[in-house]
Amino acid sequence: MQWQSFRFFKSFIPALIWLASSAALAQDGKMYPIDAPPEPGAIPLNTGGVENQPAQESWFRQWGDPMARNISKATLTPFLADPKKANGTSVIVAPGGGFMWLSMGNEGWEVAQALAARGINAFVLKYRLQPTADSLEDFEKQMTQRFADAAKNSGDKSSAPKMPGGNLEDQLEDVEAAYALISSRAKEWNVDLKKLGMMGFSAGAGLTMATTLRSKKVKLAFISPIYGGMNAVEVPKEAPPMFVAIAIDDFLFHGDIGLVKSWYEAKVPVELHLYQNGGHGFGLGNPDRTSNKWFDAYMHWLDVNGFLKR
């Protein structure tokens, strides 16, 4: 086990170097096409393709962050904790991107590295996405219009994003395949299935909630939707404890905390961190924002709830 973990992290060093060098090249909001980065250790989930998807998977960089789109083949990348630190707790990490792209660095690999450093096994899920324009230029126009529409309706609570109720069949199938894979290799990866949770960012938070509300195959010990939808839901029986973090100045936040109230009324443990600032997509944190401490609060929450005990 120790040798396997060392081999994985050794193979991941080239990817870390690539991330550090590429981030320095572009720290603005423009989209830059890039070659697909190395993804050592990525395991195909073999869940099929995407209907009406003629475009190939492609990557771009924005705000220094590598992002993938037109994903039609899901993968799971393990970030296994050092056996000397590992406590058996594990987290499936779902990056965000409106189900049209995935923020693989900011909301995927970086988060997984931070979790592994704390003794928690992390598994980054690269799930299938909705088809987007083949050219980056046309895709950028699509995204510009989407954000303009969201900003235009930012003061209208009726337009606030709802919990996923549409067709997320592909994405849920990817989560279920990831869960099955982790379960089948739990002993090898030092995973305690009674301490397996899921964390998602933005659309990934929506996927985390959809899994909790709709999947019959995935049993999560805890969930952590980060800057996702906050509207009320019908809480299922035996719902897991929940940790929520979001910033008030997130342009998708409309003052609604019905999600937390739903958990509270169902008498299921829930913790909300509503930050003064941080915007949307802050990942592990942006400079000079109150939301920067959310990960420390999350680790404390896991500890207090007994998930970090060996």
Side-chain angles (χ1 to χ4, degrees):
M1 178 61 185
Q2 286 182 322
W3 179 79
Q4 288 177 329
S5 296
F6 174 78
R7 182 176 64 178
F8 174 77
F9 283 111
K10 182 177 180 181
S11 69
F12 200 68
I13 290 175
L16 297 180
I17 295 174
W18 179 89
L19 279 172
S21 60
S22 64
L25 296 177
Q27 291 288 355
D28 59 67
K30 181 175 175 56
M31 296 179 182
Y32 297 87
I34 58 174
D35 293 333
E39 296 180 81
I43 303 171
L45 292 175
N46 300 316
T47 47
V50 174
E51 188 176 355
N52 299 320
Q53 174 57 284
Q56 297 293 313
E57 178 180 316
S58 62
W59 290 68
F60 65 97
R61 186 191 307 114
Q62 187 179 36
W63 303 112
D65 189 31
M67 306 192 186
R69 64 189 186 93
N70 289 329
I71 296 170
S72 59
K73 295 181 180 179
T75 66
L76 187 72
T77 302
F79 288 70
L80 302 180
D82 184 332
K84 295 179 180 179
K85 294 182 178 180
N87 49 46
T89 298
S90 305
V91 178
I92 299 171
V93 179
F99 298 106
M100 301 180 78
W101 75 97
L102 291 184
S103 179
M104 293 298 296
N106 184 48
E107 297 172 349
W109 301 329
E110 293 174 15
V111 174
Q113 291 165 30
L115 288 168
R118 301 290 189 99
I120 299 172
N121 299 312
F123 300 89
V124 177
L125 177 63
K126 189 170 82 171
Y127 52 89
R128 288 173 287 172
L129 300 175
Q130 300 169 6
T132 60
D134 193 13
S135 76
L136 185 60
E137 181 180 5
D138 289 340
F139 171 70
E140 191 166 13
K141 291 177 181 178
Q142 284 181 308
M143 294 302 97
T144 299
Q145 186 60 52
R146 167 167 286 201
F147 284 118
D149 291 342
K152 181 179 179 181
N153 296 322
S154 62
D156 181 6
K157 286 191 67 174
S158 66
S159 67
K162 304 299 182 184
M163 293 309 304
N167 184 7
L168 293 180
E169 183 177 332
D170 286 351
Q171 293 80 7
L172 285 171
E173 186 179 5
D174 294 341
V175 176
E176 291 172 348
Y179 183 83
L181 175 61
I182 295 169
S183 298
S184 69
R185 301 179 68 172
K187 185 175 181 180
E188 174 189 352
W189 287 338
N190 192 23
V191 172
D192 183 344
L193 293 176
K194 294 181 180 179
K195 299 195 297 181
L196 173 59
M198 185 171 179
M199 169 184 287
F201 299 81
S202 191
L207 181 55
T208 299
M209 289 306 306
T211 301
T212 304
L213 301 177
R214 294 160 57 179
S215 177
K216 304 298 184 182
K217 299 180 179 180
V218 178
K219 184 174 178 60
L220 298 169
F222 56 91
I223 56 173
S224 318
I226 310 299
Y227 46 81
M230 295 293 290
N231 56 289
V233 299
E234 184 175 344
V235 181
K237 293 182 179 179
E238 299 182 357
M242 179 172 66
F243 176 97
V244 181
I246 194 167
I248 289 177
D249 64 348
D250 186 326
F251 73 98
L252 294 181
F253 180 64
H254 295 252
D256 186 359
I257 57 171
L259 176 64
V260 175
K261 186 177 180 181
S262 297
W263 246 250
Y264 169 76
E265 292 181 342
K267 296 180 171 53
V268 181
V270 59
E271 179 155 326
L272 168 65
H273 289 260
L274 183 58
Y275 292 99
Q276 174 186 329
N277 51 42
H280 189 75
F282 50 75
L284 289 176
N286 292 324
D288 303 319
R289 300 292 187 271
T290 60
S291 58
N292 283 4
K293 298 297 184 180
W294 79 265
F295 189 77
D296 290 337
Y298 175 64
M299 294 305 302
H300 182 61
W301 179 80
L302 288 175
D303 189 21
V304 169
N305 282 277
F307 290 113
L308 301 187
K309 293 180 180 179
R310 301 186 67 169

